[in-house]
Amino acid sequence: MADAVVVVALLLVAGSATVAVLVRDPVRQALVLAVSGVVLAVLFTAVQAPDVALSQLAVGGALTPLLLLLAVRKVKRRKGRER
């Protein structure tokens, strides 16, 4: 059973990483990156690394996508002011 969870999590990680690369919109990329971070946290939990999973959930699932979304918002505001 645990092997099946690891295989499914690996497939989801590969799929979400591929989607993050293929998506062109920066906002959607950040959201897919958040999903990828959560899936990686599930994978780390499945391989019995809960401390790494918690760190991945905090950094890869929340902080990094949030910082990217804030940066995209700031860039869009500056483009609006220049016009």
Side-chain angles (χ1 to χ4, degrees):
M1 179 66 183
D3 291 338
V5 172
V6 171
V7 169
V8 169
L10 282 171
L11 291 172
L12 287 173
V13 167
S16 63
T18 303
V19 170
V21 170
L22 295 176
V23 171
R24 303 296 273 170
D25 182 32
V27 173
R28 288 191 176 140
Q29 282 177 339
L31 295 175
V32 173
L33 182 65
V35 170
S36 180
V38 171
V39 172
L40 272 171
V42 170
L43 175 65
F44 291 142
T45 303
V47 296
Q48 298 180 355
D51 51 341
V52 179
L54 285 173
S55 298
Q56 177 62 33
L57 190 59
V59 174
L63 290 178
T64 303
L66 178 64
L67 289 174
L68 288 172
L69 287 172
L70 290 173
V72 168
R73 182 178 175 195
K74 184 94 170 177
V75 168
K76 285 185 178 179
R77 276 189 181 175
R78 284 195 179 170
K79 281 186 178 180
R81 287 185 197 165
E82 290 176 2
R83 293 181 185 180

